[in-house]
Amino acid sequence: MTAHLQPRATVPVLPKGVDGSNRLTPPNRVPGVTVDFWLIKLMAVTMGETAADYLAVNLGLGLSATSLIMSAILVATLAVQFAQKRYVPWAYWLAVVMISIVGTLVSDNLVDNLGVTLEATTAIFGLALIVVFAAWFTCEGTLSIHTIVTTRREVFYWLAILLTFAFGTAAGDLVSEAFDLGYIVTGIFFAAVIGIIAFAHYGLEMNGILAFWLAYIFTRPLGASAGDLLSQPTEYGGLGFGTTTTSLAFLGCIIAIVVYMTLARSRVPAVADGDS
């Protein structure tokens, strides 16, 4: 009698999780680095500069009151973001816009209200950022934005983001005021710095994580220079569009891109929502 051989069952191999086990990796909670990521990030930091000025100066709230109000809104926004447990464009970018505004206000408070020099402010936030990165790497063994899949990693991520905005604000103001370069020249200077970072990464194989965080830091003063150029009066070297018009224009662009991102993600199969 001839035995009937049963076909061997194929056991699927699951992608390894963050703990090395054969479990599906949780979805990444932050976006991948794409062209639209950098575009909306630059718009967010530009709006952060002009919106902070609008609230503190145009509405007459002052730095202290504006800082308290926006910090409270930021806490609520981050609570919404942390509750998602995955990347949701509107929640993530709302948090970025709010953290951009608060980061600007934190730096401005140290300089304008407490009388700390720009040199000291830049050094303080630079050191704080190094400490956060060191703690993050010590706890997690990586600074990659592609594996923000746990609450602890997300806490480190957002703390680093806040400090990049504060440090970038102080560094940008320091360069602009110390050398009296004006908005256009300052913007060109930081655009050149970002260009050098991009060349070092793509041409000289600089570590991708290091290149990302350096570029993230220096897009802050680039966006601030653009915001000041558009919003400040012509007698101060700006184009005179005002903080209201400038903030609303960039907010409209941000909303349009977020809608596009949301619609684009809705057309992607759910299996693609893993670590990207």
Side-chain angles (χ1 to χ4, degrees), residues 9-224:
T10 301
V11 179
V13 178
L14 299 178
K16 288 185 179 296
V18 294
D19 59 357
S21 61
N22 285 330
R23 293 184 299 178
L24 285 174
T25 302
N28 200 24
R29 302 183 186 185
V30 303
V33 182
T34 59
V35 173
D36 51 6
F37 171 91
W38 289 115
L39 180 61
I40 195 171
K41 196 271 181 178
L42 188 59
M43 290 183 178
V45 298
T46 304
M47 182 185 168
E49 178 74 12
T50 57
D53 290 343
Y54 171 76
L55 294 170
V57 179
N58 294 64
L59 289 186
L61 298 178
L63 272 178
S64 299
T66 301
S67 299
L68 291 174
I69 294 170
M70 300 312 292
S71 295
I73 296 175
L74 173 61
V75 170
T77 302
L78 285 175
V80 172
Q81 163 61 24
F82 274 83
Q84 305 307 312
K85 305 301 183 184
R86 65 191 305 112
Y87 169 55
V88 177
W90 70 264
Y92 175 86
W93 289 109
L94 178 60
V96 170
V97 169
M98 293 306 306
I99 215 165
S100 174
I101 296 173
V102 172
T104 300
L105 291 168
V106 169
S107 178
D108 288 346
N109 266 287
L110 283 181
V111 176
D112 297 336
N113 280 351
L114 300 180
V116 181
T117 65
L118 282 171
E119 291 84 356
T121 301
T122 303
I124 289 170
F125 288 127
L127 180 60
L129 188 56
I130 292 172
V131 170
V132 168
F133 281 143
W136 183 353
F137 189 81
T138 299
C139 292
E140 301 294 337
T142 179
L143 299 178
S144 175
I145 66 164
H146 301 298
T147 55
I148 309 297
V149 295
T150 65
T151 298
R152 186 167 70 176
R153 289 188 182 186
E154 192 172 7
V155 169
F156 278 123
Y157 175 86
W158 286 110
L159 185 55
I161 294 296
L162 175 61
L163 291 172
T164 62
F165 280 119
F167 174 74
T169 298
D173 290 345
L174 176 61
V175 171
S176 177
E177 295 182 17
F179 299 102
D180 195 24
L181 298 179
Y183 304 129
I184 295 178
V185 176
T186 300
I188 293 174
F189 171 79
F190 283 110
V193 170
I194 294 172
I196 292 171
I197 295 170
F199 174 76
H201 173 56
Y202 292 108
L204 304 178
E205 299 184 352
M206 173 191 281
N207 179 272
I209 297 173
L210 175 61
F212 169 81
W213 285 112
L214 287 176
Y216 203 98
I217 289 170
F218 287 110
T219 50
R220 174 63 188 86
L222 175 61

